[in-house]
Amino acid sequence: MNAAQARLPPAVHAWAARIASLSAELPDLTGTDLPLRRAAERSLSDALAREFTAEAPTRVHIATETVGTPIGPRRVRRYRPDATEGTMPTQLFLHGGGFVSGSIDELVNDRLLAARAADAGIQVISLDYRLAPEHPYPAAVEDAIAVLDALRTHPGRYGVDASRIGIGGASAGGGIAASTVLHLRERGDHALVHQALEVPALALTPFGASAVEYARGFGLDGYERLAALYLGPDGTTTPFAAPLDAADLTGLPPTLIQVAEHDPLRDAALAYGARLIAAGVPTITEIGRGHVHGSPGLTATFEPARTWQHRVAAALRDVYHAPGAPGAPGAPGAPGAAARPA
């Protein structure tokens, strides 16, 4: 254990120790058979969620559905507070998993997103986007755009207020969400009210001091190898595959970026937030002190994780229910907001 690891909170150490003990019972975690590896990762994720993530509130209805799009049906999981009627402000959410794993069926997503829907007073629709390497970039982005288009074309079918739709994502899902927003802007689509990026993967190569200091032993070992899988064998890319590489960040929706203090992805996300502010985009960037990449989900055992989730829910509630335009003076995401501790 190095000095930086020794400074991590006890709750994070307890979680890391449990990952190690559970992983020893799942040999497929390090195997080369991708379906078996994904199944093992799901088993690990669900076991950890049962111990470390607070249960979903009972006042939220959770349903798995299919959204029809021009590129084919896409599976989603919908989180809608009970006792609500008609249409609701809605966030399309993209799960994490390093571009190659993860799903809407993970218990941790059910627990966190149901709580978010209840606390923010919004509907959350989580997308089971196509995964690399079978479906490299831009497949996941295309899925997100297709589902957003379907939600706006048929809002009544999905209980969506078409004037109040935004996007969010965690880890790889945060990077995909940011890419989606850039692609939408390029086609002249500025309708999204907000983007929320949690521990987002915004660069496809290691960036900044954090990528060196936290490269090993902080929950994201080997992430730098995922870029090749995400981009595919021919390395197909655009200026938006890695949002930090985009030359122009103007015209994007108000943004919340939450980064973990001890995360190799931290400095790229901080740089992205600074560039958004420079481009005139209403932006708030928060640094979760004591957090590693996966610890915002530890809502049963780690008070800073509960604070993290409360902050994102409060930001979404304020933006999605704002009487005026998001980013107006005094509203969360007002232009020029600096990085701040959370």
Side-chain angles (χ1 to χ4, degrees):
M1 180 183 298
N2 62 33
Q5 289 172 315
R7 293 195 298 269
L8 295 177
V12 174
H13 282 295
W15 171 65
R18 191 66 176 124
I19 291 174
S21 64
L22 289 168
S23 296
E25 303 170 5
L26 296 166
D28 289 327
L29 281 174
T30 57
T32 57
D33 185 303
L34 196 51
L36 290 178
R37 182 168 181 166
R38 286 172 177 154
E41 289 169 343
R42 168 75 187 280
S43 295
L44 176 62
S45 173
D46 286 354
L48 292 169
R50 284 190 288 271
E51 294 185 38
F52 294 97
T53 307
E55 292 186 6
T58 58
R59 62 188 187 278
V60 175
H61 178 68
I62 304 174
T64 302
E65 303 176 14
T66 298
V67 174
T69 80
I71 62 173
R74 293 294 180 264
R75 205 165 65 98
V76 301
R77 185 160 292 187
R78 192 150 66 114
Y79 304 84
R80 185 179 177 92
D82 289 343
T84 56
E85 297 180 359
T87 61
M88 294 191 70
T90 298
Q91 181 195 59
L92 180 70
F93 183 82
L94 305 174
H95 62 77
F99 304 109
V100 302
S101 298
S103 97
I104 61 174
D105 301 312
E106 289 179 81
L107 180 61
V108 66
N109 292 328
D110 270 356
R111 292 187 170 190
L112 294 178
L113 296 181
R116 181 166 303 175
D119 293 345
I122 65 172
Q123 176 176 243
V124 179
I125 295 179
S126 181
L127 170 62
D128 208 27
Y129 56 84
R130 288 173 291 169
L131 299 174
E134 301 96 322
H135 304 284
Y137 175 87
V141 172
E142 292 171 346
D143 289 350
I145 291 173
V147 169
L148 284 168
D149 287 345
L151 297 180
R152 291 186 288 187
T153 303
H154 307 287
R157 184 180 303 173
Y158 305 104
V160 172
D161 179 344
S163 69
R164 291 184 291 173
I165 297 180
I167 195 168
S171 191
I176 295 166
S179 292
T180 298
V181 170
L182 288 163
H183 279 271
L184 289 172
R185 184 203 59 188
E186 286 305 285
R187 74 175 193 184
D189 186 340
H190 299 275
L192 295 186
V193 299
H194 192 256
Q195 63 173 339
L197 312 176
E198 301 175 68
V199 291
L202 297 171
L204 294 181
T205 56
F207 179 93
S210 65
V212 177
E213 185 173 4
Y214 306 118
R216 297 293 183 272
F218 292 87
L220 211 59
D221 292 14
Y223 82 96
E224 66 278 2
R225 296 192 298 268
L226 298 175
L229 298 176
Y230 181 49
L231 296 177
D234 59 357
T236 301
T237 186
T238 75
F240 306 144
L244 185 60
D245 293 341
D248 178 13
L249 298 182
T250 60
L252 302 182
T255 300
L256 171 68
I257 300 174
Q258 290 173 296
V259 302
E261 180 181 9
H262 307 288
D263 186 346
L265 306 186
R266 182 196 69 197
D267 287 354
L270 292 176
Y272 194 69
R275 287 194 57 210
L276 287 173
I277 291 172
V281 177
T283 301
I284 286 177
T285 303
E286 296 186 339
I287 302 172
R289 300 300 183 191
H291 276 288
V292 297
H293 187 76
S295 61
L298 309 185
T299 51
T301 61
F302 191 33
E303 180 61 33
R306 293 188 286 274
T307 298
W308 178 294
Q309 299 299 332
H310 290 155
R311 282 186 176 275
V312 68
L316 297 180
R317 182 175 60 247
D318 289 345
V319 169
Y320 283 76
H321 292 282
R340 65 190 191 189

